[in-house]
Amino acid sequence: MTTHAADHDHHDDHGPVKGWRRWVYATNHKDIGTMYLVFALSMFFVGGAMAFVVRAELFQPGQQFVDPGFFNQMTTMHALFMIFGGVMPAFVGLANWMIPLQVGAPDMALPRMNNWSFWILPFAFTMLFSTLFMAGGAPASGWTMYPPLVLQTGNAFPFLILSVHLMGISSIMGSINVIVTIMNMRAPGMTLLKMPLFTWTWLITAYLLILAMPVLAGAVTMLLTDHYAATSFFNAGGGGDPVMFQHIFWFFGHPEVYIMILPAFGVVSEVIPTFARKKLFGYSAMVYATASIAFLSFIVWAHHMFTVGMPLSGGLFFMFATMMIAVPTGVKVFNWVATMWRGSMTFETPMLFAVAFVFLFTIGGFSGLMLAIVPADLQYHDTYFVVAHFHYVLVPGAVFGIFAAVYYWLPKWSGNLYDEKLGKIHFWMSAIFVNVTFFPQHFLGLAGMPRRIPDYATQFTDFNMISSIGAFFFGTSQLLLVYIVIKCVRGGEKASSRVWEGSHGLEWTLPSPAPYHSFETPPSID
Amino acid sequence: MIEPNIEGPVPQSRARLAGSLLVLAVAMFGFGYLLVPLYNILCEITGLNGKVSVEAAIVTEAPDMSREVTIEFMSSVNANGAWEFEPVVTKMSVHPGKLYTIEYMARNMLEQPTTGQAVPSVAPGVAARYFQKTECFCFTEQAFEATEKRLMPVTFIVDPELPGDVELITLSYTFFTKQPPAVAANTRD
């Protein structure tokens, strides 16, 4: 042990290694967190460019810019890049940065594995991106990869499966790291029910990932063997059943949507108390509500497939189970509002994004309840109403949660305050144009416009034009975020260690920027 | 002092938890595969999804002459299979508890021997387990000579226990081309 201690001191003297080795051989949770966040941001722009193609094509009826096959590739790749490349790595990056700081640990529990789980991702997404240039084009069957359609993918097919496997392995390794860190490395006195909510929601998310991602890996492996090894899991001619894929996929897929929102719940539960200058209302209710949502997420999967034909009892079960999720979610929304009630609120950028999250995520939740109603879903299924619903929970939901987190913790990461004025402009641009983009899609869906189709009947033109204009402005205003972050990292007003007047928690006891090695001596918790 | 522990071995407590989480992940991969038999068993027990048994049922005739049920026969050919495939009669009225035999006509439109397989489905799903077949061309693969055309029989009985509100049952067959895997892989490219 003495040699370790010596090595350890050695590190302290020198800080990070210089040059590319710092990043390629990274084991420091802050470096890895930064790489995850930068990676996620660049994937947001790649996925966003694909959304541009989709919205440009849908600006007017008829065929405008791309052929229908390429349009389908764009919708599919947009989803894969945004889900697996944007939202999930962004949250893992936040976890890497903040969980050790929040529980008073010196680093993540398994730093070498941490390096692996990040560095798999650039390879996975390079491989996925390269399918755009292959014979037969990129995957075009939708991110849900339903057979038999997905089996018609050209040369891209095995690359799709392998990249999904790699993304899954990366997520599972990241989750194992999060759980082991939280369970084994909390500072003395940091009991589970004293942990900050961001850490709590990530603990639950990590368990969801470990339970759900391997099921996806199984499903895509079955697709692979159906294609190349003459198995018949989903081939009716050989005794299989294509509908079974949908069951297995959504057994993964529904927990997946909570994987993308629970950490955002955690962020909002940190930000609102800070700027309302009050303690979070109903802390333990928040923890139990998160756990209930996680449990329920495993028994509602078939609400994605009401139209495949289901007996009445099945439809009723999945309808009621789905609606039950509104109860713990309602508890959370109530607690956020109650935290703000009579608080001394100020509206810095993180708070603006958090309040918009509560408001707009709830709209997405309500449209989700509408979709849960079996007879209504038979009409809404696969229309733009569904597109509007899941973009409301993912963009002003998950993505606004990430924005709130970035603005909230950026001074802690960089040591400098970001430009508050530009931050507010970024917020208002985002908040206005996200609604311009997605709100009209509700009307399009209710009027019967199907999703994933490059053309539409002329009566849908006006709303599609509004939506496309909104998407253009929403996308370009995200360049502002890049500018704000770069400007903040390069300099600016120095941040104090508390940064925010109302902040509380271990991360705010460290100086800003957080030193390269923090909490080498565990802090004491009162 | 808790160490980041990059150089040394991972402490035992961490390794144990990480190991058991890894086992959990591998077990969930297996669970994904376990869903396949679970799904099939569930479909067979409940008749969900119109899945019907592809084994011969053993039944005794006990005709219920007071009740009539309409049976519709449908056919389709999967993907671009080179088959002509249709029922000889498309609709008939039957008494529950009585055996009937009807025929489907199939013709191989290729200039080479080909094997096909019919996969049955019954709608509504609740009727699936009351629609029993004692003999069916769907029980086995059907080998055809080049351009051969033949009639294939199916003998069925509707269980008198069939719920009273079911007045119409649709039996549908999809005809699949069975090919050796190598050929199948080639045609997909």
Side-chain angles (χ1 to χ4, degrees), chain B residues 127-170:
Chain B
R129 66 173 132 161
Y130 302 100
F131 189 91
Q132 292 156 345
K133 298 186 288 303
T134 57
E135 190 195 328
C136 177
F137 56 91
C138 60
F139 293 161
T140 54
E141 293 180 359
Q142 299 287 327
F144 281 73
E145 295 302 321
T147 70
E148 182 189 347
K149 172 182 172 177
R150 71 163 179 264
L151 291 173
M152 304 184 298
V154 48
T155 304
F156 65 88
I157 186 167
V158 175
D159 191 323
E161 302 288 310
L162 178 76
D165 57 341
V166 180
E167 289 166 357
L168 174 75
I169 298 176
T170 306

Side-chain angles (χ1 to χ4, degrees), chain A residues 327-338:
Chain A
V327 177
T329 313
V331 168
K332 297 191 83 95
V333 172
F334 179 86
N335 286 356
W336 290 323
V337 174

Side-chain angles (χ1 to χ4, degrees), chain A residues 2-54:
Chain A
T2 45
T3 50
H4 282 165
D7 273 342
H8 195 64
D9 293 335
H10 184 73
H11 277 301
D12 283 342
D13 294 338
H14 289 268
V17 250
K18 295 273 174 284
W20 58 271
R21 281 184 187 80
R22 171 175 178 185
W23 306 106
V24 175
Y25 298 157
T27 48
N28 181 289
H29 74 100
K30 300 181 183 81
D31 285 350
I32 294 175
T34 304
M35 286 196 291
Y36 262 113
L37 287 166
V38 170
F39 176 80
L41 186 62
S42 50
M43 289 301 110
F44 268 125
F45 282 101
V46 176
M50 292 164 175
F52 264 17
V53 176
V54 170

Side-chain angles (χ1 to χ4, degrees), chain B residues 52-95:
Chain B
V52 284
S53 171
V54 285
E55 273 159 34
I58 296 156
V59 292
T60 42
E61 279 195 276
D64 175 1
M65 305 307 280
S66 63
R67 187 172 170 201
E68 282 199 345
V69 179
T70 306
I71 314 284
E72 284 182 340
F73 303 98
M74 290 178 64
S75 67
S76 58
V77 174
N78 189 50
N80 300 315
W83 300 94
E84 239 179 75
F85 176 62
E86 51 197 31
V88 175
V89 288
T90 55
K91 198 174 189 179
M92 70 190 286
S93 206
V94 303
H95 295 292

Side-chain angles (χ1 to χ4, degrees), chain A residues 106-179:
Chain A
D107 204 306
M108 293 296 275
L110 307 157
R112 286 240 186 274
M113 193 168 82
N114 210 5
N115 177 296
W116 270 100
S117 47
F118 171 75
W119 276 108
I120 285 177
L121 285 177
F123 292 94
F125 281 90
T126 307
M127 190 157 70
L128 187 59
F129 192 79
S130 72
T131 59
L132 280 166
F133 309 102
M134 288 177 185
S141 58
W143 80 283
T144 51
M145 299 176 283
Y146 284 0
L149 186 59
V150 73
L151 298 173
Q152 295 173 11
T153 308
N155 292 355
F157 183 73
F159 294 90
L160 167 68
I161 303 295
L162 191 56
S163 57
V164 169
H165 273 148
L166 289 177
M167 295 162 199
I169 290 167
S170 162
S171 305
I172 290 166
M173 291 201 298
S175 308
I176 290 177
N177 225 332
V178 165
I179 295 175

Side-chain angles (χ1 to χ4, degrees), chain A residues 4 8 11 27 106 109 111 179-180 183-185 211 214-215 217-218 221-222 227 236-237 241 244 247 251 311 520, chain B residues 1-4 6-8 10 13-14 17 21 25 28-29 31-33 36 39 48-49 51 117 119 176 178 188:
Chain A
H4 282 165
H8 195 64
H11 277 301
T27 48
I179 295 175
V180 179
M183 300 315 282
N184 283 12
M185 298 188 54
L211 293 173
V215 177
T221 308
M222 291 178 211
H227 196 299
D241 188 341
M244 184 174 68
H247 284 285
F251 185 85
E520 290 171 305
Chain B
M1 181 187 279
I2 306 173
E3 296 201 22
I6 293 156
E7 280 79 15
V10 176
S13 57
R14 280 183 228 173
L17 180 56
L21 290 170
M28 285 310 291
F29 183 77
F31 179 74
Y33 276 83
V36 176
Y39 176 82
L48 292 188
N49 215 12
K51 277 207 164 185
Q117 166 82 57
V119 175
F176 290 79
K178 279 261 174 180
R188 277 181 188 141

